[in-house]
Amino acid sequence: MNKVEELILKRGEIKSGNILKVDSFLNHQIEIDALEAIADAFAEYFSQKDINKILTIESSGIAIAVALAQRLKLPVVFAKKAESLNLDAERYSTRVYSFTKQKEYNVQVSKKYLCADDKVLIVDDFLALGSAAKGLIELCNQAGALVEGIGIVIEKAFQNGGKELRVQGYDVLSLAMIERFNEDGSVSFCSR
Ligand code: 5GP
């Protein structure tokens, strides 16, 4: 059992709507030991790939992406969700449905920070239905950038986003793959 799986068992809380709350170590308070273990695992798996940029989505993906970027010595770009006068007019944009907020929103990246030469590693905290990851892939497609891999901390495998991405040929590494939430409040992981 790896560190992420251990933390989920010890400190994850299952909420209604198939939501796993991991605020105590990842989504609100961030524990450095957990972050380092996550970044180490991604760095080990993806270090042989030809990647020049890490792309994530605000806000929970940023810390993960930065910890990984320190190891791989790469820049991080995070797609913005919030509208802002500061965002360049020249930008790539797509719509993403938020599983936790149950609404659609724009995600955007300035054309300055994503381009046709880029070989991108996408990272995020959760993979559920795959809308966030597909949105980031769409931004890369608009820029003509190549998606070399996708690193996810927690995949809820029963929601099929990861399955679809793998069928499409993407190299998806999920550090914890949840098979199901049980009625007694426990979590079962997929066997590897
Ligand atoms: P997807 O777009 O794959 O359906 O969902 C992934 C996004 O929704 C992630 O960026 C994450 O912020 C959020 N998310 C989805 N499921 C969960 C969950 O069970 N717990 C938490 N904390 N976030 C989730």
Side-chain angles (χ1 to χ4, degrees):
M1 183 167 299
N2 66 36
K3 175 94 180 166
V4 178
E5 291 170 334
E6 261 173 40
L7 282 166
I8 291 170
L9 291 187
K10 275 192 204 139
R11 294 168 48 190
E13 295 167 50
I14 301 165
K15 300 287 173 188
S16 61
N18 280 327
I19 299 284
L20 178 67
K21 195 168 169 184
V22 291
D23 281 12
S24 72
F25 62 91
L26 192 63
N27 282 154
H28 196 7
Q29 169 171 267
I30 299 175
E31 278 197 2
I32 295 305
D33 281 359
L35 194 63
E36 293 201 324
I38 290 164
D40 285 343
F42 285 153
E44 191 186 340
Y45 185 83
F46 290 112
S47 61
Q48 300 310 315
K49 293 219 170 204
D50 186 14
I51 292 161
N52 73 328
K53 193 166 280 180
I54 299 171
L55 177 65
T56 189
I57 187 164
E58 68 178 353
S59 55
S60 293
I62 297 175
I64 300 159
V66 169
L68 176 58
Q70 285 174 321
R71 284 155 176 78
L72 300 182
K73 307 288 177 222
L74 295 175
V76 172
V77 175
F78 61 93
K80 298 205 179 200
K81 288 178 184 168
E83 288 298 332
S84 161
L85 292 175
N86 252 341
L87 199 61
D88 295 333
E90 290 290 299
R91 58 181 101 144
Y92 302 111
S93 175
T94 191
R95 304 280 294 165
V96 161
Y97 176 77
S98 166
F99 185 82
T100 43
K101 299 191 179 72
Q102 307 233 311
K103 61 171 192 184
E104 251 199 8
Y105 56 90
N106 277 329
V107 284
Q108 314 188 69
V109 169
S110 165
K111 288 189 178 178
K112 281 185 196 152
Y113 306 124
L114 199 57
C115 59
D117 294 339
D118 284 329
K119 294 174 180 134
V120 176
L121 173 59
I122 290 173
V123 301
D124 203 6
D125 58 346
F126 273 86
L127 176 59
L129 301 173
S131 180
K134 286 176 199 161
L136 293 173
I137 292 169
E138 168 60 19
L139 295 178
C140 290
N141 289 343
Q142 288 177 21
L146 248 156
V147 176
E148 289 288 343
I150 302 173
I152 299 291
V153 181
I154 302 169
E155 175 177 341
K156 293 183 290 179
F158 58 89
Q159 287 176 321
N160 287 337
K163 197 175 179 181
E164 285 173 29
L165 293 171
R166 291 184 185 93
V167 167
Q168 288 168 31
Y170 292 102
D171 183 6
V172 184
L173 173 69
S174 297
L175 302 183
M177 286 185 78
I178 297 176
E179 185 179 44
R180 62 177 180 274
F181 297 135
N182 301 308
E183 279 182 6
D184 64 1
S186 61
V187 175
S188 296
F189 296 108
C190 299
S191 48
R192 305 232 188 204

